Amino acid sequence: HNASKMHLSLSRAKLTVFFLFAIGISGTTAAFAPPSKSIPGSFHHRVASITQKSAEKNDLFSEKEAVESTADGIPRGGANINKPPPKLPSLSTYRKFALPCLGLWVAQPLLSLIDTSFVGLSGDKATSAQQLAALGPATTFIDGSVYLFAFLNVATTNIYSTARAQQGEQSDKAESVVRTASRVALRSGIGLLLFLLAFARPLLSLYIGHEVENTPGLLDSAVDYVNIRALSMPTSLLLGVVQAACLGAKDSVTPLIAIVYSTVVNVIGDFLLVNRLGMGLRGAAIATTLAQWASTAALLGPARKRLVRDRSLGLWKKPEAKSDTVSAKTFLGFAAPVLTLIMGKLAAFGFMTHSAAAVPGQPTPLASHQIILSLFFFASPFMEVISQTAQTFIPGYLAPVSDHISKRKDMDPNYDPTQDSIVKPWNRAAIDVGNSLLKIGFSVGVVIASLAGMVPAFLGGLLTSDTTVQEAAKPLAKYLFAGAFLTAPVAVSGTSCVCDY
């Protein structure tokens, strides 16, 4: 009895530490965000004012206005390519964008990691291992479903940031990108919701394999988790594209507020439903779903004011078509290459989870696999944010060059851009930005991979109270380090691809 009380006290202490850690992740990124007078929230009004003054003079960028409108070191719509490119972004500029951006990228895996910790530390050791074993395929399945539509986020950031660089942030084309992306995301989310509710059980049964029959309750728990989380699919996909549009506008602070809401709601929900009421996976799924609803509700209001002039995202009613309206077909151009990459990743993760489920001695192997996979997914965004930073900053240098080359080729079919003295400094600036981000990415990769690998090796008690699962996870630490580190060159290689036009 005394041992049981001591075990319960230790579990609650660990949950308290994790609670503070989760809140700290969101709070720290908010704390490092630039003050309101220098972030895009108020910067929006400054740029609008500058653009209006310039238009009246038929000169969008006078010498003084160009400096003001590129306070963050990135050219805006109407940049004059005949002038030297703006000063390269400093490390401080990257930090002000990347840290809040990291809070956005890490939000989804943080929710799964919070669920893993609360489920692993609540209940007795036998229940803990079995619940973690069910959580593994369930989170991989639900996160993979959302990940399939990540091409919408990539397309939104890329198309929106390019539209802003070419035509300005107040252009009809830029706003059309936001509306189209939001409408496509919401409808895709509804379709995904219906699909998961209809086919979750047979797909999970196939996914987990023959161990379903040998581990009673495993499939039922996983299906309950997926069915509850499926209710958040429409808002999850909508949240993703709205966040992506904000990042394309170099506003990584506004959506960060929504992430703070999400983290707080999820931690409190898990604490009450999982730890206090003993609802297990079902409680974790409810808490995460409520967190995603809260996050979307918190973001939509500020985002509408920030991204569209009439404050309407056109979710249900398609706005009147204009000459420069961006259609849903534009986003499909990103689907093939991005989906190919995503399907490859999902196939790899699915095969690993299926293999872990086939290892004898369940539920320990699947539970330890869930811990490693949750840590890997939590570490990956630290590298992915470098690619997101490149997609946001580099188009400001490349878009004016692309417009210039296109116009020159229309005038002269024999035009050679490699010999154009106007193009060279802008192209060189874009490459320099990409190279600097590559160096940062590799440095971040080493640090994050090392920290992630230390958790199963030395701090396994933070994620599960089952000592058997802790010992099973320890040998996997070196593989977690290797996987997390090798994610860095894959993610940051996107900076080179952005520069290669």
Side-chain angles (χ1 to χ4, degrees):
H1 177 68
N2 290 335
S4 178
K5 289 179 64 178
M6 182 176 296
H7 164 72
L8 183 60
S9 298
L10 287 174
S11 295
R12 288 179 177 175
K14 292 171 183 175
L15 285 173
T16 301
V17 171
F18 194 83
F19 180 99
L20 296 174
F21 165 76
I23 301 300
I25 286 287
S26 299
T28 300
T29 49
F32 278 99
S36 59
K37 64 182 180 181
S38 62
I39 65 175
S42 57
F43 180 65
H44 166 81
H45 301 291
R46 293 172 52 208
V47 175
S49 175
I50 293 170
T51 305
Q52 182 178 3
K53 293 178 183 178
S54 303
E56 291 173 356
K57 299 177 182 179
N58 294 319
D59 180 12
L60 284 175
F61 275 83
S62 67
E63 192 70 32
K64 179 179 179 181
E65 290 165 341
V67 174
E68 291 183 21
S69 63
T70 57
D72 53 1
I74 300 297
R76 293 289 178 174
N80 190 345
I81 195 173
N82 293 310
K83 297 179 181 178
K87 183 180 178 181
L88 296 180
S90 64
L91 186 62
S92 175
T93 302
Y94 290 139
R95 175 184 63 81
K96 290 177 180 179
F97 175 83
L99 278 177
C101 179
L102 175 62
L104 308 182
W105 274 93
V106 84
Q108 184 69 25
L110 179 60
L111 296 182
S112 295
L113 186 60
I114 292 173
D115 285 349
T116 299
S117 181
F118 273 94
V119 169
L121 293 174
S122 300
D124 55 50
K125 295 182 179 180
T127 303
S128 170
Q130 183 168 340
Q131 293 277 287
L132 280 177
L135 186 62
T139 54
T140 304
F141 192 77
I142 200 74
D143 291 343
S145 300
V146 177
Y147 198 33
L148 276 174
F149 293 87
F151 73 90
L152 291 175
N153 303 344
V154 176
T156 300
T157 299
N158 193 298
I159 299 173
Y160 184 68
S161 60
T162 301
R164 284 168 54 93
Q166 291 176 334
Q167 300 186 17
E169 62 179 308
Q170 294 290 315
S171 66
D172 291 336
K173 183 177 181 180
E175 293 188 358
S176 174
V177 173
V178 178
R179 292 192 179 96
T180 302
S182 300
R183 191 165 55 254
V184 171
L186 184 62
R187 294 176 180 178
S188 299
I190 294 173
L192 183 57
L193 161 64
L194 298 176
F195 177 83
L196 290 175
L197 292 178
F199 300 105
R201 179 170 289 275
L203 290 176
L204 276 171
S205 179
L206 180 65
Y207 190 51
I208 298 174
H210 66 84
E211 280 299 321
V212 171
E213 301 175 357
N214 302 331
T215 310
L218 180 64
L219 179 60
D220 290 338
S221 297
V223 170
D224 284 345
Y225 185 89
V226 170
N227 284 340
I228 296 172
R229 287 286 304 272
L231 299 176
S232 67
M233 290 300 101
T235 52
S236 294
L237 297 189
L238 177 60
L239 178 67
V241 297
V242 174
Q243 287 177 341
C246 289
L247 294 179
K250 287 200 276 295
D251 180 5
S252 56
V253 178
T254 298
L256 186 61
I257 300 173
I259 300 307
V260 174
Y261 273 93
S262 175
T263 305
V264 173
V265 170
N266 194 41
V267 171
I268 294 176
D270 273 335
F271 182 75
L272 294 176
L273 300 177
V274 180
N275 185 253
R276 293 299 183 183
L277 299 181
M279 295 179 64
L281 280 188
R282 189 173 298 173
I286 293 173
T288 304
T289 300
L290 292 176
Q292 290 178 321
W293 288 349
S295 180
T296 305
L299 177 62
L300 286 184
R304 286 200 303 264
K305 297 178 182 178
R306 176 74 178 89
L307 300 173
V308 289
R309 285 166 290 184
D310 62 2
R311 301 184 180 182
S312 172
L313 294 179
L315 296 177
W316 304 109
K317 183 179 180 182
K318 188 175 181 179
E320 182 181 350
K322 298 181 180 180
S323 58
D324 53 357
T325 297
V326 176
S327 67
K329 293 181 180 180
T330 306
F331 289 82
L332 295 180
F334 286 79
V338 177
L339 273 178
T340 301
L341 175 63
I342 290 173
M343 290 297 290
K345 289 183 177 181
L346 291 180
F349 294 135
F351 178 77
M352 287 187 287
T353 301
H354 182 82
S355 300
V359 174
Q362 296 296 339
T364 299
L366 199 52
S368 58
H369 169 73
Q370 166 62 14
I371 289 176
I372 298 301
L373 199 61
S374 293
L375 288 169
F376 174 78
F377 286 150
F378 182 73
S380 296
F382 287 84
M383 276 68 79
E384 294 287 354
V385 73
I386 306 298
S387 178
Q388 183 72 64
T389 304
Q391 293 183 56
T392 301
F393 281 81
I394 292 179
Y397 292 93
L398 293 185
V401 174
S402 298
D403 288 346
H404 173 76
I405 293 176
S406 178
K407 292 176 181 178
R408 289 297 304 273
K409 284 185 176 180
D410 289 341
M411 298 171 58
D412 181 7
N414 298 320
Y415 168 73
D416 183 5
T418 61
Q419 304 300 319
D420 192 335
S421 60
I422 296 178
V423 169
K424 289 181 179 180
W426 285 80
N427 187 37
R428 182 70 255 173
I431 293 175
D432 287 343
V433 172
N435 288 339
S436 65
L437 290 172
L438 281 171
K439 295 176 183 177
I440 295 172
F442 277 104
S443 301
V444 171
V446 173
V447 175
I448 297 303
S450 300
L451 293 176
M454 290 175 62
V455 176
F458 306 107
L459 303 170
L462 289 177
L463 297 177
T464 179
S465 58
D466 191 326
T467 54
T468 304
V469 176
Q470 293 178 28
E471 292 300 319
K474 278 186 178 181
L476 304 178
K478 55 181 176 289
Y479 302 108
L480 174 60
F481 169 83
F485 173 71
L486 292 176
T487 300
V490 175
V492 301
S493 64
T495 63
S496 298
C497 294
V498 173
C499 291
D500 186 16
Y501 68 96

